[in-house]
């Protein structure tokens, strides 16, 4: 038994070192983003955040087109459209809903709203679904171009939304103002927390609270390309036309699984000016955001994360490549986008190293052998353990901070167990993403692998409430969001 103990020790040592070095590099990478964000906040400390009251007036008038691609959305499309029509405080917009001829349930649900409001335009494509979301958006693009030509007008902006979104009453005012000065405008997205699936649905809230309050802020501050969220964003039609000209008339790449991410990269490459707009509604910190329920079950979440990982980290690498040779910050950000599969591998080895290390310690104790890692024989392993523990503590504290700023103290506490739920989802999604990517390399046709959606029960639209991060914030209320507006 003693003679074979070295095998356990070798496995424990090597897995510990591999995971330790990988977690250290990833932790330092995240820490650099945190430090840049802190420096950015300090540098901008004296500047007033953008707010509805300080938005510059639009330089020109023009209709705004809202694109909603819908496949198998019978459960949400009708309440989503009704809520948007009820909420939008803007007098010149039209909602284009992309539908499929073999999806009669969604067609009927959307038609019930369109029949009573001419601002809803149903566009049924020629191909049966599902294709891809990008293909459906292309159908809407061509319908808009025909409408503009027939009516002798030029749409001012194209806004993208998902069929499950709860739109903000003031978002079109934000787009109307900023699209004159920027070609791309992205609003923050903050998921709603499903009370019946707090661990799974809530981990999206934690991730977006940090991503859309810190990571994209850092990207834009460094001058790196801003990937779009695919919802809550406005794009100049002229820029989309420029991309369409190079793609045989289609601005959205129909072969892409994550057209939103790639579109943001492409727009930056052709010189589109973009802004991540955190616009305050009032002085209490309420901001203009998009709200929606995200998957609440492990199976649905794994399916969605598989698509994201395939489209961004794997296929996206092939499709978007790297930035200009000396655009170092852009290279860094794209590398961060693509590190997910490697990070999951490191995470898996780390989870393996912990029980193996425990078995090694137990066996040494039972057999009376010298305990490994308790002296100076392995200073690298001991050092990595201490540093990575500190980095993990910092990471969890940052996650709690950003979740708390957007959702309140209760959800900040819930973010701790949800951190590990997110890890579990990624561990299962990563190998599936690799297999799906291999299938794509072999010629498999991308399809819209959508998840089941829910739409919240909404109260009549009222004036935005005043609340601060220290107040009792209901993360399930689509109208209440507190976050840094700057």
């Amino acid at each position: 038994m003693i003679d074979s103990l070295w095998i356990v020790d070798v496995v424990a040592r090597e897995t510990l070192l591999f995971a330790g070095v990988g977690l250290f590099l990833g932790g330092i990478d995240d820490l650099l983003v945190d430090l840049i964000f802190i420096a950015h906040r300090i540098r901008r400390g004296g500047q007033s955040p953008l707010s509805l009251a300080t938005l510059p007036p639009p330089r020109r008038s023009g209709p705004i087109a809202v694109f909603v691609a819908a496949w198998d959305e019978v459960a949400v499309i009708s309440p989503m459209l009704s809520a948007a029509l009820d909420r939008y405080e803007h007098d010149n917009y039209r909602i284009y809903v992309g539908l499929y001829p073999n999806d009669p349930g969604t067609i009927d649900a959307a038609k019930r709203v369109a029949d009573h409001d001419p601002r809803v335009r149903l566009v049924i494509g020629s191909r049966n679904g599902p294709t891809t979301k990008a293909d459906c958006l292309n159908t809407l693009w061509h319908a808009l171009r025909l409408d503009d030509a027939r009516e002798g007008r030029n749409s001012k902006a194209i806004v993208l939304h998902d069929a499950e979104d709860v739109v903000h009453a003031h978002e079109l005012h934000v787009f109307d103002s900023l699209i004159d000065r920027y070609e791309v405008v992205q609003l923050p997205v903050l998921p709603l927390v499903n009370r019946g699936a707090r661990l799974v649905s809530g981990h999206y809230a934690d991730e977006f609270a940090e991503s859309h309050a810190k990571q994209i802020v850092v990207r834009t501050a460094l001058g790196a390309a801003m990937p779009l969220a695919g919802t809550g964003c406005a794009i100049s039609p002229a820029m989309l036309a420029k991309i369409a000209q190079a793609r045989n008339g289609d601005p959205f790449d129909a072969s892409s699984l994550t057209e939103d991410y790639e579109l943001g990269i492409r727009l930056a490459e052709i010189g589109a000016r973009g802004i991540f707009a955190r616009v305050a509604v009032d002085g209490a910190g309420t901001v203009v955001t998009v709200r929606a329920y995200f998957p609440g079950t492990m199976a649905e979440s794994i399916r969605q994360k598989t698509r994201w990982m395939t489209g961004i980290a794997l296929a996206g690498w092939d499709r978007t490549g790297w930035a200009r040779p000396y655009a170092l910050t852009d290279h860094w950000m794209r590398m961060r986008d693509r590190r997910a599969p490697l990070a999951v591998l490191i995470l898996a080895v780390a989870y393996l190293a912990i029980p193996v290390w425990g078995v090694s310690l137990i066996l040494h104790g039972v057999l009376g052998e010298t305990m490994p890692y308790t002296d100076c024989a392995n200073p690298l392993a001991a050092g990595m353990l201490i540093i990575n523990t500190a980095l993990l503590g910092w990471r969890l504290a940052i996650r709690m901070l950003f979740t708390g700023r957007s959702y309140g103290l209760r959800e900040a506490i819930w973010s701790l167990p949800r951190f590990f739920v997110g890890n579990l989802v990624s561990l299962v999604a990563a190998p599936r993403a690799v297999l799906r990517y291999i299938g794509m390399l072999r010629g498999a046709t991308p399809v819209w692998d959508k998840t089941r959606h829910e739409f919240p029960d909404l109260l009549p639209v009222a004036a935005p409430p005043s609340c601060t991060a220290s107040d009792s914030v209901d993360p399930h209320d689509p109208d209440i969001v507190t976050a840094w507006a700057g």
Side-chain angles (χ1 to χ4, degrees), residues 18-212:
F18 176 83
V21 172
L23 292 173
F24 171 76
L25 294 176
I28 293 298
D29 184 33
D30 290 334
L31 180 61
L32 285 175
V33 173
D34 297 336
L35 295 177
I36 292 171
F37 174 79
I38 293 171
H40 176 69
R41 290 285 300 177
I42 293 173
R43 184 174 62 84
R44 296 185 69 252
Q47 298 183 23
S48 299
L50 195 62
S51 68
L52 290 176
T54 60
L55 277 177
R59 293 174 180 169
R60 59 187 176 88
S61 61
I64 295 176
V66 181
F67 283 5
V68 181
W71 159 252
D72 191 21
E73 300 288 9
V74 63
V76 298
I77 191 62
S78 181
M80 182 273 176
L81 293 174
S82 298
L85 294 168
D86 185 44
R87 285 167 166 257
Y88 276 150
E89 296 184 5
H90 197 274
D91 57 6
N92 196 3
Y93 70 91
R94 182 180 291 171
I95 302 176
Y96 286 75
V97 185
L99 302 161
Y100 290 90
N102 61 330
D103 188 10
T106 305
I107 293 174
D108 291 343
K111 189 174 183 297
R112 284 196 294 271
V113 180
D115 285 346
H116 295 89
D117 199 310
R119 292 173 296 179
V120 177
R121 166 94 149 83
L122 305 187
V123 182
I124 302 175
S126 59
R127 289 181 293 275
N128 285 338
T131 55
T132 60
K133 181 181 176 182
D135 178 67
C136 190
L137 291 173
N138 283 330
T139 301
L140 296 179
W141 163 260
H142 293 298
L144 173 65
R145 301 284 279 185
L146 288 173
D147 286 352
D148 280 355
R150 183 174 58 250
E151 298 171 13
R153 65 178 191 178
N154 290 310
S155 292
K156 184 176 180 178
I158 293 174
V159 176
L160 303 184
H161 267 296
D162 288 332
E164 70 275 17
D165 288 349
V166 180
V167 304
H168 196 282
H170 301 292
E171 69 174 51
L172 295 188
H173 283 299
V174 174
F175 294 141
D176 201 4
S177 170
L178 296 180
I179 204 67
D180 286 333
R181 296 154 180 84
Y182 303 91
E183 284 83 25
V184 186
V185 182
Q186 174 69 62
L187 296 178
V189 177
L190 285 182
L192 294 164
V193 179
N194 188 332
R195 286 188 176 94
R198 207 178 203 122
L199 285 174
V200 178
S201 77
H203 92 274
Y204 288 96
D206 305 331
E207 291 176 355
F208 273 87
E210 188 171 359
S211 173
H212 278 199

